[in-house]
Amino acid sequence: MSESADAPKGRPSRKRLQYGEGREALLNAAVRVVARGGLRKLTYRAVAEEAGVTHGLVVHHFGSRDALIEEALAHTIRTSLSTSALEPGTGKVADFSTGLSEMVTADPGIQAFQYELLLEARRRPELLPQLRALYDEYFDATRRELNRMLPAGADQAMTRLVFAALDGLVLHQLVFGEPAVTDAALEQLRALLRLLDADS
């Protein structure tokens, strides 16, 4: 499982994979491969090369390319939820999505991977069920936090509207940069949420 035994010859030495690290390292490698070259570039060999291991290790951990895609997508959702402050749990409007621009700046590959899969699902409808299920985690986190912030709570339409605004800001920053624009727009979104709180 270590890099020294599995790394392709002639490549620079990479960090050794410790026991238990292999699966996550392969998921991160898959995300980077797709973010850089699109889903069509995702092969066992490309992921193995990116991670510095043999392609047999990728097969061992995931069994199929579809399983690798599904688990990599789940991995990016978990990572995004934990770093975006989408659900800080405080019920304070000021805390809502405070880490969004930093999340995109710190690891744009995770966001690019998700958008690549969303676009690919237009050509490959078999990806839709897992994308719907995993995006439901975003919607649920958004709705829970809106329910904490707003006395009247948030229905599905309000949840989708707020999340669509966040998703659009992430896409804009991913393509154009400009984290300050993201932060300014988020402050306007929080101002609108404060108005809803006041109306209630």
Side-chain angles (χ1 to χ4, degrees):
M1 182 141 349
S2 70
E3 176 275 328
S4 60
D6 297 330
K9 301 287 186 269
R11 290 206 158 266
S13 178
R14 298 185 186 210
K15 179 185 170 193
R16 235 179 236 276
L17 296 183
Q18 301 301 319
Y19 183 76
E21 287 183 339
R23 189 177 195 81
E24 185 167 353
L26 292 173
L27 291 172
N28 288 330
V31 168
R32 290 192 300 273
V33 167
V34 174
R36 198 168 49 238
L39 195 60
R40 286 182 286 277
K41 297 290 185 180
L42 185 69
T43 64
Y44 290 144
R45 291 193 185 281
V47 172
E49 183 176 332
E50 181 70 27
V53 298
T54 63
H55 76 280
L57 188 60
V58 185
V59 177
H60 168 75
H61 275 290
F62 302 103
S64 73
R65 184 173 179 268
D66 287 343
L68 174 59
I69 291 169
E70 185 172 341
E71 291 197 40
L73 181 57
H75 173 67
T76 65
I77 297 278
R78 286 191 303 272
T79 303
S80 293
L81 282 172
S82 68
T83 58
S84 68
L86 183 61
E87 189 181 7
T90 64
K92 296 179 179 176
V93 174
D95 296 336
F96 184 60
S97 293
T98 53
L100 194 72
S101 64
E102 290 87 349
M103 175 193 73
V104 180
T105 300
D107 198 347
I110 286 179
Q111 310 312 317
F113 174 86
Q114 290 181 39
Y115 291 123
E116 285 285 344
L117 259 65
L118 286 167
L119 292 173
E120 185 67 21
R122 297 184 71 238
R123 294 179 289 270
R124 294 181 53 194
E126 65 271 18
L127 291 173
L128 282 173
Q130 61 212 48
L131 281 164
R132 284 186 189 281
L134 292 166
Y135 257 69
D136 280 344
E137 294 188 38
Y138 280 144
F139 300 141
D140 290 345
T142 304
R143 188 169 192 171
R144 286 192 300 268
E145 195 59 26
L146 289 173
N147 285 337
R148 291 184 190 103
M149 289 187 290
L150 304 175
D155 60 12
Q156 184 182 41
M158 172 61 74
T159 299
R160 295 294 175 102
L161 176 64
V162 170
F163 182 76
L166 298 174
D167 206 27
L169 290 172
V170 169
L171 180 58
H172 182 277
Q173 185 177 330
L174 184 65
V175 175
F176 299 108
E178 305 175 335
V181 172
T182 301
D183 291 337
L186 277 172
E187 194 46 54
Q188 289 299 311
L189 177 60
R190 292 186 197 106
L192 292 172
L193 292 172
R194 288 185 190 100
L195 288 175
L196 288 175
D197 188 4
D199 285 347
S200 297

